[in-house]
Amino acid sequence: MTDAVLTRLAGLFGELLPADAVITDPVRLRTYDCDGLTYHRATPGIVVLPDTAEQIAAVVRLCDEYGVPFVARGSGTGLSGGALPRTDGVLIVTSRMRRILEIDLQNRRAVVEPGVTNLAITEAVRDQGYYYAPDPSSQQICSIGGNVAENSGGAHCLKYGFTVNHILGLEIVTPDGEIVELSADDPGYDLLGAFIGSEGTLGIATKITVRLSRAPEAVTTLLAAFTGIEAGGQAVSAIIAAGIVPAAIEMMDALAIEAAEAAVNCAYPQGAGAVLIVELDGPHAEVGHQFAEVERICRESGAFEIRVAASAEERAAIWKGRKSAFAAVGRISPAYIVQDGVVPRTALPEVLAGIDRLQEEYGIRVANVFHAGDGNLHPLVLFDDAVPGQGERAEAVSGRILDLCIEHGGSITGEHGVGVDKSRYMPKMFTEEDLDTMQLVRCAFDPRGLSNPGKVFPTPRLCGEVPGVRKGVHPLVESGRAEQF
Amino acid sequence: MDPELIKDCVHCGFCLPTCPTYLLWGEEMDSPRGRIHLMAQHVEGTPVTDEMAGHFDACLGCMACVTACPSGVRYDRLIEETRAVVEREHVRAPEDRAIRGLVFALFPYRRRLRAMRLPMRLATRMRPFLDRVHPSLGAMAELVPPPARPVRLPPRVHALGRRRATVGMLTGCVQSQFFPRVNAATARVLAMEGCDVMIPPRQGCCGALSLHSGRDARRFAKRTIAMFERAGVDTVVVNVAGCGSSMKEYAEVLRDEPEWAERAEALRVRDLAEYLVELGPVARRHPLPVSVAYHDACHLAHAQGVRSQPRELLRGIPGLELREISESAICCGSAGTYNLFQPGPARELGDRKAGHVMATGAEVLVSANPGCSMQIAAAVRRSGKGEMRVAHTAEVLDASLRGLGARALGRA
Amino acid sequence: MNDDAGAEEVLTAALTDTGVAIRPAGPDDSVAGVRPRWVALPEATEEIAALMRVTSAHDLAVVTTGAGTKLHWGHPPERCDVLIDTCCLNEILEHEAGDLVVRVQAGVPLDALARALAAKGQELAIDVPLEGGTVGGLLATGIAGPRRFRYGTARDLIIGITVVLADGTIAKAGGKVVKNVAGYDLGKLFTGSYGTLGVIADATFRLHPLPTARAWVTATFDRPVTETQGTREDEKGVAFDTASVDVADEIRVIVPAVAESQAEPSAIEVDWPDVNGPCVIAVLVEGAAAAERARAVQDMMGEKAQVADEPPEWWGRLPGLPGLPGPADRAGDEGVLLEFRNVASRLPGTFVGPFSTAATTGTRPAVRGSLASGVLHVALPPGTEPAAAAAFVGALRAECEDAGRVVVLTAPEEVARRVDRWGHVGGLTLMRRVKDRFDPERRMSPGRFVGGI
Ligand SMILES: Cc1cc2nc3c(=O)[nH]c(=O)nc-3n(C[C@H](O)[C@H](O)[C@H](O)COP(=O)(O)OP(=O)(O)OC[C@H]3O[C@@H](n4cnc5c(N)ncnc54)[C@H](O)[C@@H]3O)c2cc1C
Ligand code: SF4
Ligand code: SF4
């Protein structure tokens, strides 16, 4: 894309949006050059800060007209580079669209704009005894639009499901600039389900109807300390086998505990090789019953200390160490990579042993924090960027961990998405046919490939104009930069 | 701008929702994460542009981002260093320069401030005119409380009953001129709790205003340290949040002069509430049947981490009902000199805060910073909902310890 | 004639060459009145692919069926050459109990699956309101029953899928882990697609432990709706009579109270066989301490409420006359079955809509379904005048306006011709584009779905 086109577009945007909503100053533009994954950076060509769906639609229509790619961005906390801008494109940021439009407790739903933060929804209904269930650790800042795009999960998704299970309707702007309503109640294809988790490649969500959940009557949180991670894993299996679905089961290993101690003094039991956090919620009677069961299982699996939170403060204290874990490893290591992979719960012991072997093989430390209930690992691969070669080795370990996940029938991402970061792993998890079939959806929504191109899928692909009818060879295909699809 | 400090930022964005300017404008460049990014750009060689300087100037220095940051980024130090760089390297528009010059020539000097009191009163009436000349002048006029009768404090106030400690007390430039009764109340409360209070006369500015605006504060710091050393105390109690936070930073400000840094370390600086909770209550609390909304001054809550102590003290007063203000972590827009240099956003934030304060329905607004009280009271006045009674934590305690009753609170 | 017969032979040979069992279709094989030419019985995903390649080469239209319990749902196909019967794809491929996950082939009967899972103390938490169905049929129609309130529907529980596209491409998406955001979620896209995008070969589901106990609380309400006569004045001050219909106060209070209560019911169902008569409301609580929680619900529902550890006999079944629906090709002589959703006004809409509409159109609908999630089934008895049935559908849509959706699941020809089967569909243009990409030659259940897809 030539600069002239961008300049022309910026001028046209200026006619549609307030002056301060179109950013072209290079210094300002650069502050948008990355999301939560900082080693991929690109300064956007133009940034717009729209206020309404109509403005987004108008901007997208112009992009379509000029063949300029666009990328949506919420709060920029994504961890897979999903919101990485295009230097030749437009970054559409929803941070000014943060109104809660409607709260309907009777029908347990709320309608919000995409820039509203996940936590803001819960805060708006908490006093009435409701909440929005999916709770990514970044909930105080990540936008609901970003959550929709990433199908975000959180610690409590074990029992309550992910974003996709809590979205009742969407208003989207399609990549050709149409405003379309998708509702879980309408007959027809589940485009809602297809859109959620599509990482901004199928259009931009401009209005979101979420399901609100009733706050549980009772919540019990327990912290169990084990000498090693195996015993903790055994407890997890036994809890599930006993037919209990806790709201959350989280595990941290010794290194992760060390980091959390350094950052927030969480005061977990001394000498713990692993801690397990189990949270049960629901009706009093049920929670009481299950709690006794969980406590017994933990003891039988070798827990040497069990703490039970008696108040909201104590619960917060237990969670504090876990919730700060990502950022906290910054205190024990100059640099680190947050990995996100999933394995079947029963394969956890093997995979953890595999990670141990990798640590030895590469001389790299890995701190493990994970959503043990659903086998979602967040290994934190630690390295010192001042030591030559360590970064590469850490990168290698991080990749090998994903290989382990795939080998054991798991996934390369449980919640952070594919983005730019993991698109190269997609062919390891899926066949070419699988990916081509996914591309069919992409081509239906975005035949010109302008909506967040270069994300999720490994090779840029072009959609044939009309199925079955192929025209001359596209220049990108000719030059080997893309494959015709 | 220390690149090592910049590197601590992992770009997670956790600080965004507590940043008042991000709340107002929803732009990356006016968020802590964005400002740190701008600092990084500068470190990599981008000169300070008008745009860049504008985003740094718009920062309130409220330090809410420091509290929110899980990876321990020292934004407080970063922004101080940055402001110094901006002052050094950036050429401001002439009228901005004039206003900044005026404020820095005025506020840190109590005699000049005193001299200003009369013209200020006049200024209040001239507000519409001033607003037109420069919004900052208008803001200055709007904020000014009715002039108070000066209260002369003795250099030493003796403990009531058994003496438990000897402490120094900072009187503060703005505080002593516009809110002298707060200082009197502070001295009395300390004395009633068993402290000998040393109040060195002719105290100058502690350096807070300069420090928070990127000007050299070392001269002010050294003067203050020497002054309390002469008074023979090792603990200084401060009742102004902004002054307390900058005094706690003396050692860092003076880090290039090790001898001074050491002297700074030796001086224990405590906020009044923090100190009283450490000391433990002995004086009898009389009932004070009143509902109060407690406002977290940024320089207390974020810069000093003092949140629970004032609440604990207030809850300890029989009959007093403490109400929480929603969005309590968000700055009221006062932020030291901010409301003078950035009147627009300061006003918006003030209105927002005033709305939340009024929503509590409390009778009296309590905070530990005169700037905040002035700012919020002005916003309430603007909303046309009458006058908000404001009081300092010290005054509330004083009223209870002396059994004055609630009506005395927060009346001019 | 000869040519035709010759062509038929060539095609039969091509189909048979795939190695898949093929037989000529009989009258019992019709799909909503359209008779296919062949029935194919593949035993593996590869075999489906082989079949699809042949149908692609010869432009043959394909419809897929499981047990045929819902085959008459939706429009009759525009054409149908090959009926793929998934009966021989009936293997449970993987059930790792410790992972609470099962991977099954599309032809596995739901009751067989339930038995296998129950042996390990687990279940797929979807109550299908029809007996005898298969996994594939459940997915293709996206049907669900009472416990959708707690667990959602098939789209919420499916975590992986293998499909065969019109051109024989075998594709999978998702996987066998519950948490997975790699790639597009084709499982959801295929769920409820009525066979128009391709053939579902197998699917992987998230399971739940079987609840330790279950209890149902039921109560009968004699007058679910109340009619109030009144007078009002118009702008000119002229008085006129008004009649307003509303849900009975009792129900208006009780249902939300139970739904929001901390007893955490898994389902709240209503059975209202005649809208001029009484209704029964039944509440299910499951899990630890079910009995205790059931008593709490009983207290909320009033003296008449009773607790039982067996469901009422109508629980989780479609409304209407006994025997409905019947074997595959009975669309012609069956009644009308509607799905009725109350998007934004669950309670009043559920009762007032059918009641008022029945009165104005002279019909006798039976209503049954989930009060808590606002998804009901409404049946009009066989023999309902086609014009009246069509009027009922239109009037019910008008009555609930934007807040509701009415979809005609089954209807006799006569009725079907007169109604818009699907009603409002948001995003139809996008859906057409999806169809165009997956099945550009329109060979997969053509015309059966929304907007004639
Ligand atoms: C410390 C930390 C902890 C985290 N913890 C979790 C966790 O527990 N669970 C979890 O799931 N994630 C977690 N994340 C990742 C991240 O917060 C989520 O992916 C979140 O949903 C991203 O939201 P965002 O608003 O920041 O989106 P962005 O990062 O701005 O964008 C993410 C993607 O969404 C697209 N997008 C944004 N808005 C829209 C829109 N309106 N329409 C269409 N596409 C859009 C973008 O193009 C991009 O592809 C964490 C991140 C951090 C930094
Ligand atoms: S100090 Fe306050 S205004 Fe400045 S960046 Fe931090 S939170 Fe924002
Ligand atoms: S919270 Fe801290 S680490 Fe995260 S973006 Fe803000 S300053 Fe950086």
Side-chain angles (χ1 to χ4, degrees):
Chain A
M1 211 47 50
T2 61
D3 285 352
V5 174
L6 286 179
T7 310
R8 169 126 184 76
L9 264 187
L12 294 170
F13 292 160
E15 291 166 23
L16 299 167
L17 306 176
D20 70 345
V22 183
I23 299 173
T24 51
D25 170 69
V27 169
R28 288 179 172 155
L29 286 175
R30 258 189 76 187
T31 62
Y32 286 95
D33 68 359
C34 67
D35 59 10
L37 187 72
T38 52
Y39 48 85
H40 294 280
R41 289 182 191 257
T43 303
I46 303 173
V47 169
V48 291
L49 297 161
D51 206 35
T52 63
E54 286 69 29
Q55 289 178 356
I56 294 187
V59 166
V60 168
R61 271 196 301 276
L62 283 171
C63 288
D64 181 54
E65 188 179 322
Y66 285 81
V68 170
F70 60 89
V71 177
R73 169 172 162 130
S75 303
T77 67
L79 290 174
S80 55
L84 181 76
R86 297 271 300 207
T87 48
D88 59 352
V90 180
L91 188 70
I92 302 175
V93 186
T94 62
S95 56
R96 286 190 180 164
M97 295 173 71
R98 43 188 170 176
R99 283 161 291 236
I100 293 178
L101 302 171
E102 191 188 324
I103 291 176
D104 173 5
L105 291 180
Q106 245 179 9
N107 292 296
R108 288 199 189 180
R109 51 171 68 211
V111 184
V112 303
E113 291 187 332
V116 170
T117 62
N118 172 300
L119 190 61
I121 302 177
T122 292
E123 279 173 351
V125 295
R126 185 184 278 142
D127 288 349
Q128 284 83 31
Y130 291 83
Y131 73 117
Y132 174 65
D135 60 337
S137 315
S138 52
Q139 67 182 141
Q140 66 263 55
I141 178 58
C142 62
S143 73
I144 195 77
N147 288 178
V148 165
E150 300 286 357
N151 188 17
S152 297
H156 292 80
C157 285
L158 177 60
K159 181 168 175 185
Y160 295 104
F162 315 96
T163 301
V164 70
N165 307 112
H166 297 269
I167 301 295
L168 301 172
L170 287 177
E171 175 191 86
I172 63 166
V173 169
T174 61
D176 49 6
E178 295 287 324
I179 298 180
V180 175
E181 300 262 355
L182 306 175
S183 160
D185 288 299
D186 280 356
Y189 296 136
D190 188 359
L191 298 185
L192 193 68
F195 188 93
I196 297 169
S198 65
E199 306 192 23
T201 59
L202 300 181
I204 300 181
T206 49
K207 201 196 283 175
I208 295 141
T209 306
V210 301
R211 181 207 309 283
L212 301 173
S213 303
R214 187 90 171 95
E217 182 179 33
V219 183
T220 304
T221 310
L222 154 159
L223 177 97
F226 297 86
T227 45
I229 204 117
E230 301 76 24
Q234 212 177 332
V236 174
S237 301
I239 291 169
I240 302 291
I244 298 171
V245 183
I249 313 185
E250 303 282 305
M251 189 139 76
M252 289 166 74
D253 73 359
L255 201 52
I257 298 170
E258 182 192 326
E261 291 292 354
V264 295
N265 293 321
C266 48
Y268 286 169
Q270 287 274 318
V275 295
L276 199 61
I277 299 173
V278 183
E279 192 156 285
L280 297 162
D281 69 9
H284 265 303
E286 192 178 73
V287 170
H289 185 271
Q290 293 184 339
F291 173 72
E293 192 79 355
V294 169
E295 193 177 10
R296 182 184 58 77
I297 292 172
C298 285
R299 291 219 187 278
E300 282 174 8
S301 310
F304 67 82
E305 186 174 337
I306 291 179
R307 290 184 194 165
V308 184
S311 63
E313 288 80 52
E314 287 184 28
R315 176 158 56 251
I318 288 182
W319 275 108
K320 195 169 164 191
R322 166 64 188 87
K323 294 219 163 165
S324 65
F326 282 9
V329 288
R331 312 237 181 178
I332 59 164
S333 172
Y336 60 98
I337 299 170
V338 183
Q339 192 46 283
D340 166 40
V342 193
V343 294
R345 189 167 32 231
T346 46
L348 266 177
E350 278 169 63
V351 173
L352 290 173
I355 295 177
D356 269 349
R357 280 194 299 276
L358 288 174
Q359 301 197 50
E360 274 169 35
E361 186 181 331
Y362 287 86
I364 290 284
R365 293 188 303 164
V366 179
N368 279 300
V369 178
F370 48 100
H371 308 298
D374 36 32
N376 188 187
L377 305 168
H378 287 311
L380 301 153
V381 185
L382 314 184
F383 64 99
D384 185 346
D385 41 3
V387 178
Q390 267 211 12
E392 289 73 29
R393 280 198 314 236
E395 181 74 26
V397 168
S398 172
R400 291 279 301 272
I401 292 176
L402 289 187
D403 291 339
L404 272 177
C405 292
I406 298 171
E407 269 166 43
H408 286 86
S411 169
I412 57 172
T413 169
E415 50 186 21
H416 295 166
V418 178
V420 274
D421 195 44
K422 290 188 175 169
S423 55
R424 67 208 146 98
Y425 292 98
M426 288 291 275
K428 292 193 181 183
M429 192 171 156
F430 295 107
T431 64
E432 202 170 315
E433 284 78 23
D434 301 342
L435 295 175
D436 284 352
T437 304
M438 292 179 191
Q439 278 289 333
L440 293 173
V441 180
R442 171 65 178 274
C443 293
F445 276 78
D446 182 20
R448 304 186 64 190
L450 294 178
S451 190
N452 209 4
K455 312 292 166 65
V456 185
F457 299 104
T459 2
R461 296 219 167 196
L462 303 166
C463 308
E465 273 82 15
V466 184
V469 187
R470 299 250 155 92
K471 300 197 177 146
V473 186
H474 192 281
L476 275 181
V477 177
E478 208 163 39
S479 65
R481 282 169 55 212
E483 291 169 37
Q484 181 76 41
F485 181 67
Chain B
M1 296 171 232
D2 186 344
E4 285 304 310
L5 292 184
I6 292 175
K7 244 189 63 190
D8 284 342
C9 172
V10 296
H11 218 257
C12 67
F14 277 34
C15 50
L16 269 59
T18 55
C19 175
T21 53
Y22 184 75
L23 217 60
L24 287 184
W25 305 314
E27 323 174 320
E28 191 69 19
M29 311 75 79
D30 278 309
S31 78
R33 185 176 63 181
R35 292 190 176 112
I36 294 171
H37 195 297
L38 291 171
M39 294 172 195
Q41 288 190 39
H42 180 72
V43 167
E44 287 165 18
T46 312
V48 180
T49 62
D50 282 351
E51 285 81 9
M52 208 191 257
H55 298 305
F56 293 138
D57 284 351
C59 168
L60 292 105
C62 69
M63 303 310 157
C65 49
V66 176
T67 306
C69 178
S71 58
V73 172
R74 291 293 311 268
Y75 182 85
D76 48 345
R77 278 184 56 190
L78 280 170
I79 191 70
E80 267 163 29
E81 292 172 11
T82 304
R83 293 207 203 280
V85 170
V86 172
E87 285 305 308
R88 250 193 341 263
E89 298 181 8
H90 185 60
V91 185
R92 293 179 189 282
E95 67 271 23
D96 280 355
R97 244 180 305 158
I99 290 294
R100 293 180 86 83
L102 179 64
V103 170
F104 289 111
L106 208 56
F107 276 68
Y109 304 96
R110 58 163 48 202
R111 233 166 328 173
R112 298 187 203 164
L113 261 185
R114 197 174 313 150
M116 270 293 284
R117 279 212 317 252
L118 200 66
M120 282 281 217
R121 195 153 36 143
L122 201 75
T124 316
R125 265 182 267 145
M126 287 168 54
R127 172 131 209 235
F129 168 74
L130 290 175
D131 236 350
R132 246 174 299 137
V133 178
H134 193 290
S136 290
L137 288 174
M140 220 183 284
E142 188 188 54
L143 287 172
V144 177
R149 208 151 25 86
V151 175
R152 199 170 287 281
L153 291 170
R156 177 177 199 139
V157 177
H158 290 279
L160 230 66
R162 193 175 63 85
R163 188 178 73 206
R164 301 160 76 204
T166 303
V167 298
M169 178 179 143
L170 185 88
T171 51
C173 352
V174 178
Q175 184 91 301
S176 57
Q177 286 317 304
F178 293 115
F179 303 93
R181 294 189 318 176
V182 174
N183 281 340
T186 304
R188 276 195 299 269
V189 169
L190 284 167
M192 284 184 278
E193 292 287 17
C195 302
D196 269 6
V197 189
M198 311 298 290
I199 311 171
R202 285 183 302 281
Q203 297 189 11
C205 175
C206 64
L209 287 183
S210 307
L211 193 62
H212 298 145
S213 315
R215 302 201 164 201
D216 195 351
R218 274 176 298 189
R219 198 162 45 86
F220 293 115
K222 289 180 194 166
R223 250 204 61 176
T224 311
I225 293 169
M227 178 178 76
F228 282 107
E229 284 172 348
R230 273 199 307 278
V233 293
D234 57 6
T235 303
V236 180
V237 174
V238 186
N239 60 11
V240 183
C243 305
S245 80
S246 57
M247 284 187 67
K248 286 180 178 175
E249 280 174 52
Y250 277 174
E252 247 166 53
V253 171
L254 299 167
R255 62 183 173 276
D256 294 339
E257 299 168 63
E259 185 229 346
W260 273 105
E262 208 171 293
R263 289 168 70 178
E265 292 283 8
L267 204 60
R268 262 185 0 133
V269 177
R270 290 290 181 273
D271 173 72
L272 173 66
E274 189 182 17
Y275 184 72
L276 288 176
V277 168
E278 271 176 26
L279 193 65
V282 288
R284 167 143 179 258
R285 268 81 177 143
H286 298 279
L288 206 58
V290 64
S291 58
V292 306
Y294 177 75
H295 164 72
D296 279 305
C298 296
H299 280 115
L300 197 58
H302 299 306
Q304 301 183 57
V306 176
R307 273 176 284 264
S308 63
Q309 297 92 327
R311 290 179 169 81
E312 191 178 326
L313 290 174
L314 291 171
R315 280 205 200 92
I317 297 175
L320 183 143
E321 188 201 336
L322 179 63
R323 300 198 184 154
E324 286 296 327
I325 304 169
S326 53
E327 282 192 0
S328 66
I330 306 290
C331 181
C332 64
S334 150
T337 52
Y338 191 84
N339 42 17
L340 302 179
F341 298 139
Q342 304 271 340
R347 211 175 231 254
E348 265 184 75
L349 289 169
D351 292 346
R352 197 177 166 116
K353 182 63 77 181
H356 289 309
V357 170
M358 288 187 279
T360 65
E363 298 158 71
V364 181
L365 171 70
V366 177
S367 97
N369 212 33
C372 299
S373 308
M374 274 158 51
Q375 162 84 354
I376 300 171
V380 171
R381 205 173 301 132
R382 247 190 336 261
S383 74
K385 303 246 167 66
E387 285 290 320
M388 184 86 213
R389 286 161 67 189
V390 298
H392 189 283
T393 321
E395 292 175 290
V396 184
L397 283 170
D398 184 43
S400 165
L401 294 188
R402 293 202 290 158
L404 293 185
R407 247 167 330 144
L409 269 188
R411 293 248 188 263
Chain C
M1 187 67 211
N2 236 351
D3 267 7
D4 275 6
E8 190 86 5
E9 242 163 65
V10 171
L11 291 175
T12 308
L15 287 168
T16 315
D17 279 352
T18 58
V20 180
I22 305 284
R23 64 172 171 81
D28 280 355
D29 296 316
S30 323
V31 178
V34 179
R35 186 158 150 190
R37 291 149 79 187
W38 301 275
V39 176
L41 303 129
E43 290 175 34
T45 307
E46 271 307 331
E47 292 197 354
I48 307 177
L51 280 172
M52 298 309 289
R53 282 192 294 271
V54 173
T55 61
S56 168
H58 299 281
D59 189 32
L60 301 176
V62 177
V63 172
T64 311
T65 182
T69 55
K70 298 169 283 289
L71 193 58
H72 55 296
W73 289 20
H75 278 299
E78 283 161 18
R79 58 193 183 115
C80 175
D81 301 303
V82 180
L83 181 69
I84 295 186
D85 185 336
T86 60
C87 66
C88 304
L89 291 155
N90 60 0
E91 219 180 307
I92 297 178
L93 300 170
E94 233 181 309
H95 176 210
E96 185 64 68
D99 291 332
L100 279 168
V101 159
V102 71
R103 178 158 168 251
V104 277
Q105 285 190 308
V108 171
L110 290 166
D111 46 6
L113 176 62
R115 275 195 306 276
L117 297 176
K120 297 276 181 64
Q122 301 182 350
E123 64 165 345
L124 173 58
I126 303 172
D127 321 293
V128 178
L130 278 168
E131 274 172 55
T134 61
V135 168
L138 161 77
L139 285 174
T141 54
I143 190 155
R147 287 184 299 162
R148 66 186 311 144
F149 180 54
R150 174 139 189 189
Y151 298 102
T153 64
R155 57 95 74 178
D156 294 296
L157 297 173
I158 185 169
I159 57 173
I161 197 167
T162 306
V163 295
V164 182
L165 303 190
D167 64 358
T169 301
I170 299 174
K172 60 183 182 348
K176 58 173 188 175
V177 284
V178 170
K179 209 169 183 185
N180 179 6
V181 294
Y184 294 156
D185 198 337
L186 299 181
K188 292 195 174 50
L189 188 66
F190 272 73
T191 300
S193 67
Y194 278 75
T196 58
L197 294 177
V199 182
I200 299 172
D202 64 61
T204 309
F205 294 97
R206 153 177 207 193
L207 303 174
H208 284 86
L210 270 175
T212 43
R214 288 188 168 137
W216 282 263
V217 190
T218 48
T220 303
F221 296 85
D222 291 332
R223 293 189 50 80
V225 290
T226 53
E227 288 175 277
T228 333
Q229 308 290 340
T231 49
R232 254 207 340 243
E233 288 182 0
D234 64 13
E235 318 83 80
K236 295 192 191 107
V238 182
F240 62 97
D241 289 339
T242 58
S244 66
V245 181
D246 207 344
V247 58
D249 285 345
E250 241 184 333
I251 294 180
R252 183 191 286 285
V253 172
I254 289 172
V255 172
V258 173
E260 306 305 281
S261 79
Q262 294 294 2
E264 286 196 3
S266 293
I268 305 178
E269 296 281 299
V270 65
D271 179 40
W272 198 19
D274 175 357
V275 295
N276 292 311
C279 76
V280 179
I281 294 180
V283 178
L284 166 64
V285 282
E286 314 177 281
E292 209 171 302
R293 286 151 55 205
R295 275 194 299 280
V297 172
Q298 188 184 19
D299 287 347
M300 279 182 260
M301 290 180 64
E303 293 140 28
K304 308 168 279 188
Q306 302 204 324
V307 181
D309 50 15
E310 287 292 322
E313 42 91 25
W314 52 267
W315 180 266
R317 292 280 160 254
L318 292 172
L321 296 180
L324 179 128
D329 189 30
R330 297 241 333 264
D333 49 77
E334 267 175 19
V336 175
L337 179 67
L338 313 175
E339 186 186 81
F340 172 42
R341 290 174 181 247
N342 283 290
V343 180
S345 160
R346 285 186 187 162
L347 202 51
T350 300
F351 287 96
V352 174
F355 179 86
S356 306
T357 313
T360 53
T361 57
T363 47
R364 311 203 53 191
V367 179
R368 193 179 281 166
S370 170
L371 275 183
S373 27
V375 182
L376 291 297
H377 287 106
V378 180
L380 295 173
T384 301
E385 214 22 66
F392 179 84
V393 172
L396 189 55
R397 281 193 183 129
E399 174 80 29
C400 56
E401 295 175 6
D402 280 353
R405 297 281 182 269
V406 178
V407 169
V408 181
L409 296 178
T410 67
E413 244 295 335
E414 280 293 290
V415 177
R417 260 193 293 119
R418 295 165 199 248
V419 295
D420 168 5
R421 238 174 217 276
W422 304 98
H424 175 84
V425 183
L428 190 56
T429 313
L430 278 177
M431 290 180 196
R432 291 215 166 91
R433 279 156 51 176
V434 170
K435 168 76 174 178
D436 281 350
R437 291 286 168 179
F438 277 81
D439 179 22
E441 291 143 0
R442 293 180 53 75
R443 293 188 298 102
M444 302 304 299
S445 296
R448 299 215 72 184
F449 202 32
V450 293
I453 281 173

